[in-house]
Amino acid sequence: MRRNLTLVEIKLGSDVSREFIKSLRGHADGLLHEYVLGSVQSFYKLGSFDTATGVASVKAMRMVFNKGLGVLGRNRCCWLIGEVETCRVWFGYGMVLAMEDGNESIEFEGEELPEGVMKVSHEAKLKELLRNLTSVEIKLCSDVSKEFIKLLRGHAGGEMLREYVKTSCKCSELLQAWKLRQGKPGLSYVLSLISAILSHPDGICKSNDMEGIAISRVLDKFARLIIEEKLGDVYRELNSKEAKCQNAALLLLASIVRRGSGLASDVAKSFDFKLPIFLKFAEYKRKKIETKRKHSTRRSFVGFAMSFLEVGKPGLLRWVLQQKEMYFGVLRGLGNDDNETVVYVLSTLRDRILVPESLVSPGLRSVLFGSVTLDQLISLSGREDSEVAAELAHSVMVIACTDPSNGLMPDLNRHPTPLRGNPKRLLGVMKKLKATQIDYHRDLLLAIVKGKPSFGSAYMDEFPYNLEDHASPTW
């Protein structure tokens, strides 16, 4: 038998499967009638997921399924059997095949499969995935992790997640897989899977969904266990020399933070932001075979840093923004980031920090917008390859440079505490703007002068353009 025809393999007892498939190639109507009308236990015996009994290809199982539909028809099957569970198992396995095969699919005309079919498919699939996840074979663990993540991100991912949490309220299989890979190659696959589970939207608390609340509590408890007992393993992955391991660890931490302010605070208090290697994750790495700069861990680093801001709890924001070097690492590299990352970072800053609700002090906000960061934003607002990124950079610049609450624009008349701002830094921004070439730069220059006209006078004293017309003899 050929292996790996698809992502999922249906394990059948070798002797039974050979005889059954051989019969199907002949006159199999009677056999199929007997087969479909058999008990659920008989089907499970034939379709056993016991790897020790041998492997039959999915193609063979598809033939079984299609032949069954041709002989009996879906409605007739339900009518003849009279046992919903038997029918669910039959069509459930067909759905597993339909979902997982990349080239062919099984479709029912005119009506959708019943909910029970999907339920059995998820149960069967979970049984296989969870067993293989704890395999000692690293390749099998890797394949299962990737497949599980793919299913979670699919249209039925929410149902798959709920089914798992219901059957394993302590996530024991994930902990077992973690323990098996602890200190060994392959832990990154487990961390990536856990990250996908913890970040799934159906696993995050929704106040009007009692089932969702129960699932969220289970996952929150699991996430807290990782913070309290597994950070040492996470540090080992971060200190490894493989970007794959480092990314998996950073993504896991970000997925925990995004679950809510409580867990985000726990991570902020427990995580060692002073790890010698930590800030290096913000850097770009140049591949030898490429002249183009390309990041490896930067995207994951940015996601982890910004996840604290996404949560948006004022007390947490004021505390975590004191990790200045982490956010310097994010903002100073924006000019080299892709448009998607730029939009993500700047929109988070605009919506979570540069608003009154954040309660972040003007002094702390001004630290974020140092000279290097402002230079990056000036460059981004002139970016021609993405109007969205350029417009957002301009919007953030206008807010940061004209609203005294952000620590740059002075407001000496404010009571009870006047704001001195940072005139020197603002004037430096004005002098770097290409107001005659880029519309956004011109608009920003005018906005700053409108906010405080004295900046117009200071700007003219150091006017960066030469107005002398040497071609005119009367100038």
Side-chain angles (χ1 to χ4, degrees), residues 196-210:
I197 290 173
L198 293 180
S199 60
H200 197 285
D202 284 16
I204 298 177
C205 181
K206 298 175 182 177
S207 57
N208 59 344
D209 180 6
M210 296 306 295

Side-chain angles (χ1 to χ4, degrees), residues 3-278:
R3 296 183 64 89
N4 299 324
L5 285 173
T6 59
L7 292 175
V8 59
E9 298 172 339
I10 304 299
K11 280 80 175 178
L12 304 173
S14 56
D15 294 337
V16 177
S17 65
R18 289 195 189 99
E19 183 178 350
F20 189 80
I21 294 168
K22 182 178 179 181
S23 300
L24 282 174
R25 289 172 178 155
H27 299 285
D29 291 5
L31 176 60
L32 277 165
H33 275 280
E34 181 180 351
Y35 180 73
V36 174
L37 293 172
S39 67
V40 179
Q41 292 180 344
S42 298
F43 187 91
Y44 271 123
K45 183 177 180 180
L46 178 65
S48 170
F49 284 118
D50 181 6
T51 54
T53 61
V55 178
S57 71
V58 172
K59 182 181 288 187
M61 200 62 191
R62 176 175 283 105
M63 184 166 60
V64 174
F65 182 71
N66 284 334
K67 187 71 174 178
L69 286 178
V71 172
L72 297 177
R74 180 173 179 232
N75 292 331
R76 192 179 170 200
C77 267
C78 296
W79 179 78
L80 280 173
I81 294 172
E83 297 180 1
V84 176
E85 289 302 319
T86 305
C87 193
R88 283 178 178 177
V89 171
W90 173 264
F91 290 104
Y93 274 99
M95 276 303 296
V96 171
L97 301 179
M99 284 191 301
E100 297 306 322
D101 190 283
N103 300 317
E104 303 177 47
S105 63
I106 300 170
E107 298 180 355
F108 297 100
E109 296 182 0
E111 53 185 322
E112 297 180 356
L113 287 172
E115 183 179 347
V117 171
M118 296 302 298
K119 179 174 171 35
V120 172
S121 298
H122 296 151
E123 291 174 352
K125 188 64 181 168
L126 273 173
K127 184 178 178 181
E128 180 199 14
L129 290 173
L130 295 174
R131 185 190 64 254
N132 291 338
L133 185 65
T134 56
S135 169
V136 295
E137 297 181 26
I138 188 171
K139 179 65 167 61
L140 187 57
C141 177
S142 168
D143 291 344
V144 167
S145 175
K146 293 174 183 177
E147 185 180 357
F148 204 153
I149 292 171
K150 182 179 178 181
L151 290 173
L152 286 170
R153 292 173 178 170
H155 68 280
E159 183 60 36
M160 180 74 78
L161 176 66
R162 288 189 289 272
E163 189 64 37
Y164 172 63
V165 174
K166 288 178 183 177
T167 57
S168 182
C169 62
K170 294 185 178 180
C171 303
S172 55
E173 295 85 0
L174 296 175
L175 289 173
Q176 183 181 351
W178 187 314
K179 184 177 181 180
L180 184 66
R181 298 290 169 195
Q182 192 173 28
K184 302 175 184 177
L187 181 58
S188 62
Y189 303 123
V190 180
L191 300 189
S192 296
L193 174 57
I194 294 175
S195 174
I197 290 173
L198 293 180
S199 60
H200 197 285
D202 284 16
I204 298 177
C205 181
K206 298 175 182 177
S207 57
N208 59 344
D209 180 6
M210 296 306 295
E211 182 185 18
I213 291 174
I215 291 173
S216 180
R217 285 175 179 171
V218 170
L219 295 179
D220 285 348
K221 186 176 181 180
F222 179 54
R224 188 162 281 108
L225 182 147
I226 293 175
I227 299 170
E228 294 173 352
E229 301 181 12
K230 302 291 185 181
L231 270 185
D233 294 333
V234 175
Y235 291 151
R236 276 190 285 274
E237 294 297 291
L238 290 175
N239 285 315
S240 70
K241 295 181 180 180
E242 294 188 32
K244 176 177 64 177
C245 299
Q246 296 164 339
N247 281 324
L250 290 169
L251 290 172
L252 173 63
L253 291 169
S255 70
I256 295 175
V257 171
R258 290 191 180 103
R259 293 196 61 79
S261 59
L263 285 166
S265 296
D266 290 344
V267 173
K269 293 174 184 176
S270 302
F271 184 75
D272 184 4
F273 292 96
K274 303 299 182 183
L275 281 176
I277 197 173
F278 181 59

